[in-house]
Amino acid sequence: MSYQDEEEQVGSFPKDFGYGDFEHESDGNRVSDDKPRILLMGLRRSGKSSIQKVVFHKMSPNETLFLESTNKIVKDDINNNSFVQFQIWDFPGQIDFFDPTFDSDMIFGGCGALVFVIDAQDDYVEALTKLNQTVTKAYKVNPRIKFEVFIHKVDGVSDDFKMESQRDIHSRATDDLLDAGLEGVHLNFHLTSIYDHSIFEAFSKVVQKLIPQLAALENLLNLFIHNSGIEKAFLFDVVSKIYIATDATPVDMQSYELCCDMIDVVIDLSCIYGSRDNPDVPAFDNQSSSIIKMNNSTVLYLREVNKFLALVCIIREESFSRQGVIDYNFLCFREAITQVFELRFKHQKLEAIEQDSDNLEDLQDFDREDVISSMKRFQD
């Protein structure tokens, strides 16, 4: 197998506003191979490389039409903050699991999630066969892998077609796994397209499963919105527009799209006007914030959490009259997030010293009392 490291920023997104080292990640002992991997698999021309370029490199969807087919494994290192750290391996569609040179233990052993992409507008019988082979091989090597199926290229088709395709693919894939004796394998299905925000939402759900501190983040967001009169809050990775956590209220696609568009507006305006006097100052810093008032008595409110994270809230206009309370609660929230960062960093250093993969499961059981205590100062 041949490998290729992918580092180039693509598209019109500012090249100096890409992934880089977070402040805690300067430790030379950290090795990128220790990060969880997300494997992108599927048949040729199913849209795997397009997904990677659009989500993580800000390529315009129309530009993906000129991408060549992937003929080797492309490794893409995502390293922007202490929560979003992983590698994406884009596999060629013609990969043969029965090839003697295919090292299943190495490929699937450190895998956190496997994303299999199916072209919904093509005959997916062959894709389902490949999916079954892939899941069977991967599950035998690493039963802890999260399996995600992207039913892709659903743009421009009717809702009935989307639902029928998802139902049919779900039914066939599940039956194939049962026939193979893999009753314990759970597949998650997502309808996606690079021409809308569905691909970002789907990848958000994939990435969240790789964050051991997700429960703590969700708890902090629940406390924050409850004490601030906020309708909905997202914790966004600004570069990719993936939300790494949200509160317990259901996610409305329209609300998510509004928050994504707000991030684009803030970054674009910051790059145009914010760095004019000093080009070395990043466009998104600890002073970044934005308020957008909608015509339906709703307010969108964005605050910077750290270099690559932003909190975007949806607030009713009457609740926003208590902005001072919201701002104070946000400072408490940001302090709590910092404590979660520090706690994760300590665990990472211990793991690097002990070199014991079994300790990864203990990350989910860490004591959250110190983090939650900083939220006690929330004002109602």
Side-chain angles (χ1 to χ4, degrees), residues 81-151:
N81 61 63
S82 290
F83 291 123
V84 184
Q85 291 181 14
F86 53 87
Q87 290 183 325
I88 293 183
W89 289 20
D90 184 7
F91 282 74
Q94 68 273 20
I95 192 168
D96 183 8
F97 295 116
F98 302 101
D99 190 321
T101 62
F102 184 84
D103 190 345
S104 300
D105 293 336
M106 187 274 292
I107 296 294
F108 298 122
C111 175
L114 191 155
V115 177
F116 195 92
V117 183
I118 296 178
D119 185 349
Q121 299 190 34
D122 196 6
D123 184 7
Y124 42 75
V125 174
E126 182 182 356
L128 288 173
T129 302
K130 188 77 170 182
L131 170 63
N132 184 262
Q133 294 175 350
T134 304
V135 172
T136 302
K137 194 81 171 180
Y139 186 76
K140 289 180 180 179
V141 175
N142 183 2
R144 294 182 296 177
I145 294 179
K146 309 295 184 183
F147 294 102
E148 313 288 334
V149 179
F150 284 7
I151 304 173

Side-chain angles (χ1 to χ4, degrees), residues 42-58:
L43 298 182
R44 291 173 58 91
R45 311 306 298 179
S46 60
K48 304 182 298 297
S49 299
S50 300
I51 291 173
Q52 180 188 4
K53 293 295 186 181
V54 169
V55 174
F56 296 103
H57 294 286
K58 318 320 300 176

Side-chain angles (χ1 to χ4, degrees), residues 43-242:
L43 298 182
R44 291 173 58 91
R45 311 306 298 179
S46 60
K48 304 182 298 297
S49 299
S50 300
I51 291 173
Q52 180 188 4
K53 293 295 186 181
V54 169
V55 174
F56 296 103
H57 294 286
K58 318 320 300 176
M59 177 179 280
S60 167
N62 293 327
E63 294 179 58
T64 62
L65 297 173
F66 305 101
L67 289 176
E68 297 181 358
S69 295
T70 303
N71 54 17
K72 51 187 166 184
I73 300 177
V74 178
K75 299 169 61 178
D76 195 3
D77 192 55
I78 306 299
N79 178 26
N80 56 341
N81 61 63
S82 290
F83 291 123
V84 184
Q85 291 181 14
F86 53 87
Q87 290 183 325
I88 293 183
W89 289 20
D90 184 7
F91 282 74
Q94 68 273 20
I95 192 168
D96 183 8
F97 295 116
F98 302 101
D99 190 321
T101 62
F102 184 84
D103 190 345
S104 300
D105 293 336
M106 187 274 292
I107 296 294
F108 298 122
C111 175
L114 191 155
V115 177
F116 195 92
V117 183
I118 296 178
D119 185 349
Q121 299 190 34
D122 196 6
D123 184 7
Y124 42 75
V125 174
E126 182 182 356
L128 288 173
T129 302
K130 188 77 170 182
L131 170 63
N132 184 262
Q133 294 175 350
T134 304
V135 172
T136 302
K137 194 81 171 180
Y139 186 76
K140 289 180 180 179
V141 175
N142 183 2
R144 294 182 296 177
I145 294 179
K146 309 295 184 183
F147 294 102
E148 313 288 334
V149 179
F150 284 7
I151 304 173
H152 197 48
K153 300 183 182 180
V154 296
D155 48 278
V157 299
S158 65
D159 291 339
D160 290 341
F161 179 85
K162 294 179 184 180
M163 294 301 106
E164 178 60 26
S165 298
Q166 183 173 12
R167 186 202 61 78
D168 188 37
I169 292 175
H170 182 282
S171 176
R172 293 191 186 189
T174 303
D175 290 344
D176 289 344
L177 291 177
L178 291 176
D179 293 341
L182 299 177
E183 295 86 355
V185 178
H186 178 67
L187 302 179
N188 299 293
F189 296 85
H190 311 268
L191 293 168
T192 60
S193 170
I194 60 173
Y195 291 95
D196 56 32
H197 291 84
S198 59
I199 189 61
F200 295 96
E201 185 186 22
F203 240 107
S204 296
K205 295 177 180 178
V206 174
V207 171
Q208 288 170 20
K209 295 176 182 178
L210 304 182
I211 302 175
Q213 295 81 10
L214 178 62
L217 297 177
E218 291 176 343
N219 194 17
L220 293 174
L221 285 168
N222 288 333
L223 288 171
F224 174 65
I225 69 167
H226 174 74
N227 291 278
S228 305
I230 293 174
E231 297 290 312
K232 187 69 181 172
F234 294 93
L235 187 61
F236 271 98
D237 168 33
V238 176
V239 179
S240 65
K241 292 185 293 187
I242 285 176

Side-chain angles (χ1 to χ4, degrees), residues 22-23 80-83 217 220-221 224 233-238 244-245 263 284-290 301-313 329-341:
F22 184 68
E23 284 78 358
N80 56 341
N81 61 63
S82 290
F83 291 123
L217 297 177
L220 293 174
L221 285 168
F224 174 65
F234 294 93
L235 187 61
F236 271 98
D237 168 33
V238 176
I244 66 172
I263 291 176
F284 189 80
D285 55 29
N286 58 4
Q287 300 298 320
S288 295
S289 64
S290 178
Y301 188 40
L302 179 146
R303 289 292 300 268
E304 180 264 0
V305 175
N306 65 34
K307 184 178 179 182
F308 289 103
L309 288 181
L311 181 69
V312 184
C313 307
N329 288 343
F330 168 76
L331 295 177
C332 297
F333 172 81
R334 183 160 63 181
E335 180 182 343
I337 289 289
T338 302
Q339 293 183 30
V340 177
F341 273 131

